[in-house]
Amino acid sequence: MTSPTSDALLGPAEIRELAAVLGVRPTKQRGQNFVIDANTVRRIVRTAEVRPDDVVVEVGPGLGSLTLGLLETADRVVAVEIDDVLASALPATVQARMPQRADRFALVHSDAMQVRELPGPPPTALVANLPYNVAVPVLLHMLDTFPTIERTLVMVQAEVADRLAAPPGSKVYGVPSVKANWYADVKRAGSIGRNVFWPAPNVDSGLVALTRRPEPISTTATKREVFAAVDAAFAQRRKTLRAALAGWAGSAPAAEAALVAAGISPQARGESLTVEEFVRIAENRAAADRGDTGPGRADAVNATGSDAPEHAPENEESTQP
């Protein structure tokens, strides 16, 4: 492919000029903090391990800083943007600054949470600077909707990054940690300073890398059943699982029975459990509801099942989407 020129990416002056022309004022409501440093953009692309054959989906491209960086390396980039003004301007920005790659770019003007399909070949990677207020729901929705996404790198609020990548037993391990692990191996991939954004946010940012599981978790429970158990456990995270899961299971004795059958102490707490242990709890509770005495049911489903994803709000441990 043709190598883009080194000045194709947007810098501070270009970002502000473009925003002024469009009449764009970044809003807190949509968490708009635009990356103004080309070196940071290229660092994100490198950390995401974007390859020349990748089809990358980007959520919230804004003025196009990261979009142009992704187009330097990826085969194709599909950007999902909800903002009317930003969505209408982005194709022209790509055409003006990287005309030799413009035919490799596609825009979807939509709320990412409503996206069910994308134009062109299936995406192989997700790379995005996600607003903190919707980061976890959007991430889980994209992983659930597009199983071809193998690698993900998202830039989020540092606190959210810590929670997504937290291991069992950590104080910040919770609903986002477990649900992200349902789909992928999750790890922290670096930190991002405040001065590379315009306007500079009041919080630090972090990179989170997710590598999809080679095989979905094999289970006789549905994702909905597993996620309901996760939600219930963390809605009252200071309680023992016997107490926290009582409402979910129908009673404390029923919760204890499911826990014992799964090989988990009823006195344990949700923050100590892996996603696989939550799967066992859900399987045993579902089997009890059906009156099964065997290990599972014939119509077993796995992590690619068709259940609609359920998302916990990012800054809460309770479970309502």
Side-chain angles (χ1 to χ4, degrees), residues 41-108:
V41 166
R42 291 199 172 103
R43 175 191 164 196
I44 291 170
V45 175
R46 285 195 307 271
T47 305
E49 300 180 357
V50 175
R51 302 188 297 245
D53 60 345
D54 270 325
V55 178
V56 180
V57 58
E58 179 190 8
V59 175
L63 291 168
S65 303
L66 181 55
T67 310
L68 293 169
L70 292 168
L71 277 169
E72 280 191 335
T73 303
D75 182 52
R76 296 177 182 274
V77 175
V78 181
V80 181
E81 177 58 64
I82 188 174
D83 186 282
D84 295 341
V85 174
L86 295 175
S88 64
L90 190 54
T93 299
V94 171
Q95 180 64 47
R97 302 194 68 85
M98 209 172 282
Q100 71 276 29
R101 303 292 291 157
D103 63 337
R104 297 288 177 166
F105 172 74
L107 176 80
V108 176

Side-chain angles (χ1 to χ4, degrees), residues 9 21 32 106 121 123 161 181 211 228 233 260:
L9 302 193
V21 169
Q32 291 172 331
N181 254 276
T211 304
V260 171

Side-chain angles (χ1 to χ4, degrees), residues 80-200:
V80 181
E81 177 58 64
I82 188 174
D83 186 282
D84 295 341
V85 174
L86 295 175
S88 64
L90 190 54
T93 299
V94 171
Q95 180 64 47
R97 302 194 68 85
M98 209 172 282
Q100 71 276 29
R101 303 292 291 157
D103 63 337
R104 297 288 177 166
F105 172 74
L107 176 80
V108 176
H109 182 193
S110 175
D111 179 347
M113 291 297 294
Q114 305 302 319
V115 171
R116 293 282 182 261
E117 59 184 9
L118 296 169
T124 58
L126 167 65
V127 185
N129 172 19
L130 295 177
Y132 75 90
N133 55 328
V134 296
V136 170
V138 166
L139 173 63
L140 296 179
H141 170 74
M142 296 300 288
L143 291 173
D144 191 75
T145 305
F146 301 103
T148 57
I149 293 175
E150 302 167 357
R151 285 161 288 113
T152 295
L153 185 78
V154 291
M155 180 161 56
V156 295
Q157 182 180 346
E159 176 188 354
V160 177
D162 290 340
R163 293 180 68 194
L164 281 167
S170 166
K171 290 182 179 179
V172 295
Y173 182 75
V175 171
S177 325
V178 182
K179 291 186 178 181
N181 254 276
W182 169 267
Y183 301 101
D185 175 62
V186 188
K187 65 178 182 180
R188 267 294 224 125
S191 300
I192 302 291
R194 304 181 187 190
N195 61 345
V196 303
F197 296 97
W198 175 71

